[in-house]
């Protein structure tokens, strides 16, 4: 099998990397960026700090968590009204995904629903520089963006080279102030990326190396970062692991956890990493019999089993760890999160249909039908 590999042209990784933003723009021949960020980045002064590093740059901060097509359209209008040659996505996955979506629409027109999977977009787009402030989505290094259709409430996966940032600036110091809940949710999101990239039917030797490296880093440091946000070594390892996981799944794929997670986020506004965490133990248990060796290698990378121990033992250790991790990180289930049970049950058929339509479940080692997905949703509700 020939693997098609895509990476940002430039990566700057390490503490203080934010300070190299201007030189990265200069290296790319860009000089008129629009910073796309969120109100929090403005309130804490990080957007202003970046403006100062760039000698002044316009800021658009009217983004929303879990971006929808209305928010993307607002950002597109701001881009079209100015004379910008590039976009800087500053923040968590939501501002970066918004920047990536706008980069395509500003050059190609149309609506986000025109670009949802299984479409593959390789057309023109504004250059995007991704600067993550959470250790989670890996969006700064992926050829994906996720946007909810404001009319249908479908969380759309959009794929293609057009959505790949030209540069990523990965500075772990930007995560030191993040609270425990956000640290946990984004951290499990990154772990899910790594595991799913490794067990995906689209996995390849290139993505495997990044996925295993990400699992090693995240497993050893997520609890530490959760308990002590100022643990610089843990924060640095988590940031690197998140970017490695993003590179892994961008060049492999995500699978059933993500396919089922997106409808939960769209219909109930559960943060993406949290909905992944809700699903990860149950979906892994469902999927593992179809790829026992692969899941066993995940356990070994995470330090849960030794090379001499058999695969069945290793998989059992992985399942125990995923449940323990959710407990240690105080991950609530859908019921504890406050989702209305009647609405949950009513929406199960639609959520299962939307999960399958995203394409991600087809990459899973064990490919489910809609009924199997509904069974898993019911199991997660009761957990």
């Amino acid at each position: 099998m020939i693997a098609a590999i895509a990476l940002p042209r430039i990566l700057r990784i390490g503490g203080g990397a934010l300070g190299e933003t201007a030189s990265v723009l200069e290296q790319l021949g860009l000089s008129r960026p629009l910073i796309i960020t969120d109100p929090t980045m403005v309130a804490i002064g990080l957007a202003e700090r970046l403006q100062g590093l760039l000698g002044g740059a316009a800021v658009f901060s009217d983004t929303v968590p879990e971006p929808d097509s209305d928010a993307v359209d607002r950002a597109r209008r701001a881009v079209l009204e100015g004379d910008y040659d590039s976009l800087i996505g500053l923040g968590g996955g939501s501002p970066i995904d918004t920047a990536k979506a706008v980069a395509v629409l500003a050059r190609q027109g149309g609506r986000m629903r025109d670009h949802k999977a299984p479409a593959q977009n390789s057309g023109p787009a504004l250059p995007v520089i991704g600067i993550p402030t959470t250790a989670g989505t890996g969006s700064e290094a992926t050829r994906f963006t996720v946007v909810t259709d404001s009319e249908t409430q479908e969380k759309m996966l959009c794929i293609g080279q057009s959505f790949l940032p030209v540069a990523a600036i990965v500075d772990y110091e930007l995560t030191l102030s993040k609270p425990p809940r956000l640290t946990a949710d984004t951290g499990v999101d990154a772990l899910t990326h790594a595991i799913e990239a490794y067990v995906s039917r689209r996995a390849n030797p290139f993505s495997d190396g990044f996925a295993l490296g990400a699992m090693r880093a995240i497993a050893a440091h997520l609890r530490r970062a959760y308990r002590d946000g100022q643990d610089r070594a843990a924060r640095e390892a988590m940031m690197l692991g998140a970017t490695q996981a993003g590179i892994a799944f961008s060049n492999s794929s995500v699978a059933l956890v993500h396919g089922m997670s997106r409808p939960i986020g769209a219909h109930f506004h559960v943060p993406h990493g949290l909905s992944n965490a809700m699903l990860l133990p149950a979906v892994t248990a469902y999927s593992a019999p179809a790829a026992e060796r692969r899941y066993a290698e995940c356990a070994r990378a995470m330090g849960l089993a030794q090379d001499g121990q058999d695969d069945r033992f290793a998989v059992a250790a992985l399942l125990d760890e995923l449940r323990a991790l959710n407990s240690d990180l105080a991950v609530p289930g859908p019921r504890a999160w406050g989702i209305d049970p009647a609405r949950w049950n009513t929406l199960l058929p639609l959520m299962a249909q939307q999960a399958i339509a995203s394409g991600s479940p087809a990459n899973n080692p064990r490919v489910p039908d809609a009924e199997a997905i509904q069974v898993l949703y019911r199991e997660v509700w009761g957990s």
Side-chain angles (χ1 to χ4, degrees):
M1 180 183 72
I2 297 174
I5 306 303
L7 295 168
R9 290 167 55 188
I10 298 172
L11 290 108
R12 294 286 186 272
I13 300 175
L18 183 70
E20 298 196 4
T21 307
S23 66
V24 168
L25 285 167
E26 183 179 5
Q27 186 176 349
L28 292 167
L30 304 171
S31 59
R32 302 185 309 281
L34 173 66
I35 300 169
I36 294 183
T37 190
D38 60 39
T40 298
M41 295 299 104
V42 173
I44 67 175
L46 186 55
E48 184 179 6
R49 178 182 166 195
L50 180 57
Q51 285 180 292
L53 291 170
L54 299 179
V59 172
F60 175 88
S61 62
D62 191 16
T63 65
V64 297
E66 310 296 326
D68 58 26
S69 53
D70 286 346
V72 169
D73 284 341
R74 290 195 298 272
R76 172 169 56 172
R77 286 194 292 272
V79 171
L80 295 177
E81 288 169 0
D83 179 27
Y84 305 111
D85 64 2
S86 54
L87 306 176
I88 298 176
L90 172 69
S94 295
I96 297 175
D97 273 7
T98 300
K100 291 158 72 169
V102 171
V104 170
L105 294 185
R107 286 291 180 262
Q108 298 185 27
R111 302 173 298 176
M112 282 310 302
R113 68 182 64 167
D114 301 329
H115 304 294
K116 71 177 183 178
Q120 295 267 345
N121 197 312
S122 59
L126 279 170
V128 172
I129 294 89
I131 306 179
T133 61
T134 62
T137 69
S139 185
E140 70 278 0
T142 75
R143 57 188 181 89
F144 303 103
T145 194
V146 179
V147 176
T148 299
D149 189 310
S150 299
E151 295 180 17
T152 66
Q153 295 304 301
E154 177 186 3
K155 202 165 190 178
M156 302 177 293
L157 175 66
C158 304
I159 307 171
Q161 295 291 94
S162 304
F163 297 108
L164 180 68
V166 296
I169 296 172
V170 184
D171 184 343
Y172 77 88
E173 293 180 352
L174 303 182
T175 70
L176 292 171
S177 63
K178 297 300 180 284
R181 180 75 268 145
L182 182 61
T183 298
D185 295 347
T186 55
V188 177
D189 187 21
L191 180 62
T192 305
H193 292 153
I195 292 173
E196 292 208 301
Y198 192 73
V199 303
S200 167
R201 291 168 176 258
R202 300 173 65 88
N204 57 76
F206 180 89
S207 62
D208 285 352
F210 283 95
L212 292 169
M215 282 184 259
R216 291 187 191 102
I218 295 166
H221 295 95
L222 177 50
R223 286 180 176 87
R224 284 175 52 180
Y226 174 73
R227 292 168 183 155
D228 178 8
Q230 294 299 309
D231 185 333
R232 296 177 72 90
R235 289 295 197 185
E236 183 172 20
M238 286 300 302
M239 198 66 155
L240 177 60
T243 298
Q244 289 176 314
I247 291 171
F249 88 79
S250 183
N251 291 286
S252 172
S253 75
V254 288
L256 181 56
V257 174
H258 276 76
M260 292 180 61
S261 176
R262 295 185 198 104
I264 295 175
H267 294 289
F268 301 104
H269 306 293
V270 177
H272 175 67
L274 178 56
S275 58
N276 279 348
M278 291 175 178
L279 292 161
L280 184 57
V283 172
T284 301
Y286 168 84
S287 305
E292 189 173 63
R293 172 55 62 88
R294 282 259 148 179
Y295 281 103
E297 291 299 331
C298 293
R300 294 184 182 103
M302 293 169 65
L304 307 173
Q306 303 302 314
D307 288 341
Q309 294 170 313
D310 67 27
D311 290 347
R312 184 170 299 180
F313 173 89
V315 170
L318 175 63
L319 294 173
D320 287 345
E321 166 62 5
L322 295 180
R323 298 182 189 110
L325 185 63
N326 275 6
S327 176
D328 291 346
L329 301 182
V331 173
R335 177 169 47 191
W337 175 255
I339 293 174
D340 177 67
R343 188 159 180 261
W344 175 269
N345 287 318
T346 298
L347 285 172
L348 289 185
L350 176 60
M351 291 200 299
Q353 175 189 345
Q354 290 177 338
I356 290 173
S358 75
S360 296
N363 300 321
N364 207 57
R366 184 180 179 187
V367 179
D369 59 17
E371 180 55 36
I373 290 177
Q374 290 188 58
V375 169
L376 283 167
Y377 277 134
R378 293 189 187 99
E379 179 183 342
V380 170
W381 176 268
S383 62

